[in-house]
Structures are given as structure tokens and as C-alpha cells.
Amino acid sequence: MIVQMLMDGITVRGAEERERHRQDWSDQYAAGPTLIPSESAIRRYVITDVLDDLRDSTDELERTVLASLLFERTAELVLLTNKRWIGAGKYLPRRLREFDRGRAEALAAPLLERNYELFADRVAEELEHAGGRLQEGFER
């Protein structure tokens, strides 16, 4: 995220310009992102769908791919519903740990152990915190 790099990064050149931008963006950055209801619904719908696929799958490769996707989507939902900025790649687990180390570890531990049943339960818990499953009758 460009704004995050602007706020937290190291100045290589253009220090005066960067400082001006930091002042302009500091309040919005501190307030965190806003997750509008329609985006929350789409995110919950996707997680519900992938979670059901994970619970139904018996193929190890499919389960690994689905679990990885679920971690990413669930971590983003946790952060966004708590007005926290998300990250990509290695920054997503970092942001989740910065927000709540206990929740991050509860979600990550069964994934790292490849305990997909427990991981699915943790995803379901986080989904409930964010408003619950969304499937039947959902329209985009």
C-alpha cells in the first residue's frame, strides 16, 4: 500500500515532499480503512464458500490451496472489520500479529500444522466475529 509506505517507509529522496504528504494523509491513515457493508458481505460470502470447499475436500493439494486462500481472506476480514490496514504477502501476517497476536496465532497454528479441521473451525469463529456466514439468498 502506497500510503503505508509513505507513512512508515524510509526516505530515500524528496524528504520535504514526503513530509508534506505525510501531514496530508496522517489523519486518514490513523483512522484506518472503512469496510462498507457491501464489501463486507462479498468477503463473508467468499470465505463461506471456500470454507465449505475446504471442509468437503479430501485431496491434500486442494486442501492446502484452499487453506492458504482462507488464511489470506480471513486475515484481511479480521483487519478490515477492526479498521486496520491490510498487507500483501509477508505483510499480511505481520499486520494481523500487530493487531492481535493471540488471534493471529490461533488462526495460524492449525494451518501450519496442516490440521485443516481445526483451521476451518478457527476460520468459522473469525467469520462469526465479522457477521457470520453468508450464502443463501446472497446477491451481488
Side-chain angles (χ1 to χ4, degrees):
M1 155 184 247
I2 297 297
V3 174
Q4 189 137 27
M5 289 171 52
L6 174 71
M7 301 304 287
D8 298 336
I10 297 170
T11 303
V12 177
R13 62 180 178 192
E16 290 178 18
E17 185 179 21
R18 176 179 180 232
E19 187 55 37
R20 190 177 72 250
H21 288 305
R22 287 182 69 184
Q23 289 175 5
D24 291 345
W25 283 93
S26 63
D27 289 342
Q28 184 173 351
Y29 180 72
T34 300
L35 182 63
I36 60 174
S38 60
E39 183 181 353
S40 175
I42 289 169
R43 287 175 178 274
R44 289 173 35 228
Y45 175 81
V46 168
I47 292 170
T48 300
D49 185 49
V50 178
L51 179 58
D52 289 346
D53 286 347
L54 177 63
R55 289 192 189 272
D56 293 341
S57 180
T58 58
D59 181 273
E60 197 63 22
L61 177 58
E62 288 178 9
R63 295 180 86 189
T64 300
V65 170
L66 292 167
S68 295
L69 179 60
L70 270 177
F71 181 87
E72 182 178 353
R73 298 294 187 259
T74 303
E76 289 177 351
L77 185 64
V78 168
L79 291 168
L80 290 170
T81 56
N82 288 282
K83 294 190 159 291
R84 298 298 180 110
W85 296 105
I86 61 175
K90 65 185 179 187
Y91 292 101
L92 183 60
R94 289 178 185 182
R95 299 283 175 257
L96 188 59
R97 285 180 179 136
E98 288 169 4
F99 166 64
D100 188 323
R101 182 165 289 279
R103 283 171 76 177
E105 296 309 318
L107 186 62
L111 174 64
L112 295 173
E113 296 166 4
R114 294 183 183 258
N115 183 342
Y116 296 123
E117 291 76 21
L118 182 56
F119 176 68
D121 291 343
R122 296 287 190 256
V123 169
E125 290 171 11
E126 292 298 346
L127 190 54
E128 285 304 312
H129 285 305
R133 294 174 56 86
L134 191 55
Q135 199 164 38
E136 282 187 36
F138 175 71
E139 294 181 17
R140 289 185 187 204

